[in-house]
Amino acid sequence: MINVMGFEEKVMNYLAEIHQKITGIENEVAGIKSEVAGVKNEVAGVKSEVADIKKTVIHIEYDHGQKLSALFDGYEQNTQAIEQLRKGQERLEQRVDRLESGMNRIVQGQEELSLKVEQNTQAIKSLEDRVATQEIKLQLIK
């Protein structure tokens, strides 16, 4: 019986040891389940944040798209305005050239008139001198 008792005791000790290990494993599994539940909660939170980030990125892309479109429109308008200004400048330059040409003709005409006035003034002076001489002669004759 001692043998049997020793055997039973060993079996009981072994079963107690197995029971302890199973209890430890169950406790570890419960801890792992708890950690997995925490990880699931964190993943759900990350998924929610990612969804929010996606919405924000979509909003930013939309806003930037509109702003880029507005900038491009403004660029086109500026280009058109610059082209119109260049055309206007060309017209004004042509007009200035025509006015300068006209002014040159007027100045030239003025110089010619001044020369003729000077010549006529001299001719009048000469005639006045001749008339004065003729008057003196008439007075002498009388």
Side-chain angles (χ1 to χ4, degrees):
M1 271 217 114
I2 293 181
N3 238 351
V4 173
M5 264 311 232
F7 177 73
E8 280 181 14
E9 192 175 315
K10 282 183 182 180
V11 168
M12 288 304 278
N13 283 341
Y14 185 68
L15 286 175
E17 200 175 298
I18 289 174
H19 179 60
Q20 254 184 343
K21 286 182 181 180
I22 289 174
T23 303
I25 290 171
E26 285 175 342
N27 287 340
E28 286 180 22
V29 167
I32 290 172
K33 283 182 179 179
S34 174
E35 287 179 21
V36 166
V39 168
K40 283 182 179 179
N41 286 337
E42 287 178 19
V43 167
V46 169
K47 283 182 178 180
S48 174
E49 288 177 16
V50 167
D52 290 344
I53 290 170
K54 281 182 180 179
K55 287 178 185 176
T56 302
V57 167
I58 289 170
H59 181 72
I60 289 170
E61 286 176 346
Y62 178 76
D63 283 349
H64 284 159
Q66 286 185 326
K67 289 176 182 176
L68 285 173
S69 178
L71 284 173
F72 183 72
D73 290 345
Y75 174 77
E76 284 183 341
Q77 289 174 352
N78 285 342
T79 302
Q80 291 171 354
I82 289 169
E83 188 59 33
Q84 288 175 350
L85 289 172
R86 282 187 184 144
K87 288 178 182 176
Q89 179 184 4
E90 288 174 8
R91 285 192 308 271
L92 289 173
E93 286 173 352
Q94 290 171 355
R95 195 168 171 199
V96 166
D97 289 343
R98 285 192 310 270
L99 289 172
E100 283 178 346
S101 177
M103 256 328 251
N104 289 336
R105 284 193 309 271
I106 290 171
V107 167
Q108 187 178 12
Q110 182 183 9
E111 289 172 356
E112 290 172 3
L113 283 175
S114 293
L115 183 62
K116 286 182 181 181
V117 166
E118 181 64 30
Q119 289 171 350
N120 288 338
T121 302
Q122 288 175 2
I124 290 171
K125 179 132 173 84
S126 175
L127 286 173
E128 285 175 346
D129 288 344
R130 284 173 62 196
V131 166
T133 304
Q134 290 296 329
E135 285 179 356
I136 291 175
K137 285 182 183 179
L138 276 176
Q139 281 181 356
L140 289 176
I141 296 178
K142 289 190 187 179

